[in-house]
Amino acid sequence: MYLHDDERLVGDVPSVRVRPGGHEVEIENFRPVDTPLAQRERLGRLVLAEVLCFLFENFPSVQAVQITLSSSIDSFQGGGIMLAKIRADVLQSAGCTSVTTVARPHAAYPGHFAVSGVWTYSTASVAALQSMLLAERAAYSESKATHPTPRDDGWMSALVRLLKRLTGRR
């Protein structure tokens, strides 16, 4: 899945799978592309919240979303353990349960961890997700105002249009 801010590619979600039966979706890693470092953390959180919200609002048959965050962020200051903790906190703030952190040894990326969680459709998870979505939209808007990029208009509507186009909805 490719994500655009109008014409500018801001990143992709390389792995989106629907399990047989259509009741569960698996997503892994958002990879920002050509995004200012100051916006990457906010953008990843916002994309996670927007994708989850889009799935639960437009696909009522989806009852659970398995999320795995494991991409390495070379420029992250603080190391792999700190990054894993931040990712676990993000998943929990989105309403995910069964959040786990597992070491994934990799020669090129010492201290590499995968963080996983399951977002299941419930009153509590929807409330947590909506709260996160509002907070991340506000924070990302502030980040964009502080660190403007060329053609920084319409990112949210472009994401919704893209998701609708990918799913064949109008």
Side-chain angles (χ1 to χ4, degrees), residues 77-157:
Q77 303 296 317
I81 293 174
M82 179 63 80
L83 180 58
K85 179 173 179 356
I86 290 169
R87 287 176 170 169
D89 291 345
V90 167
L91 290 180
Q92 289 172 338
S93 71
C96 291
T97 58
S98 305
V99 176
T100 60
T101 302
V102 178
R104 284 212 177 149
H106 191 289
Y109 308 113
H112 188 156
F113 296 89
V115 180
S116 300
V118 179
W119 188 90
T120 54
Y121 184 81
S122 71
T123 302
S125 62
V126 169
L129 178 59
Q130 289 175 333
S131 174
M132 177 187 180
L133 184 59
L134 290 174
E136 294 307 323
R137 283 179 176 169
Y140 185 70
S141 293
E142 183 178 316
S143 171
K144 283 176 57 171
T146 307
H147 303 92
T149 56
R151 298 192 48 93
D152 231 359
D153 54 342
W155 183 89
M156 298 305 290
S157 60

Side-chain angles (χ1 to χ4, degrees), residues 29-43:
N29 298 326
F30 167 70
R31 298 184 304 198
V33 176
D34 193 28
T35 303
L37 185 59
Q39 292 178 1
R40 285 186 188 179
E41 181 179 336
R42 294 263 69 115
L43 185 60

Side-chain angles (χ1 to χ4, degrees), residues 52-69:
L52 284 172
C53 195
F54 180 82
L55 288 172
F56 104 78
E57 287 178 345
N58 294 284
F59 299 95
S61 65
V62 173
Q63 294 298 304
V65 181
Q66 171 70 41
I67 303 159
T68 303
L69 306 174

Side-chain angles (χ1 to χ4, degrees), residues 2-82:
Y2 295 97
L3 306 165
H4 293 85
D5 182 351
D6 264 345
E7 300 298 319
R8 185 174 63 91
L9 177 67
V10 294
D12 70 343
V13 180
S15 180
V16 179
R17 293 181 300 276
V18 179
R19 289 203 172 164
H23 300 292
E24 191 169 331
V25 175
E26 298 175 359
I27 59 176
E28 294 183 28
N29 298 326
F30 167 70
R31 298 184 304 198
V33 176
D34 193 28
T35 303
L37 185 59
Q39 292 178 1
R40 285 186 188 179
E41 181 179 336
R42 294 263 69 115
L43 185 60
R45 291 176 183 196
L46 179 60
V47 167
L48 174 66
E50 291 287 356
V51 168
L52 284 172
C53 195
F54 180 82
L55 288 172
F56 104 78
E57 287 178 345
N58 294 284
F59 299 95
S61 65
V62 173
Q63 294 298 304
V65 181
Q66 171 70 41
I67 303 159
T68 303
L69 306 174
S70 66
S71 63
S72 176
I73 299 178
D74 298 331
S75 57
F76 182 77
Q77 303 296 317
I81 293 174
M82 179 63 80

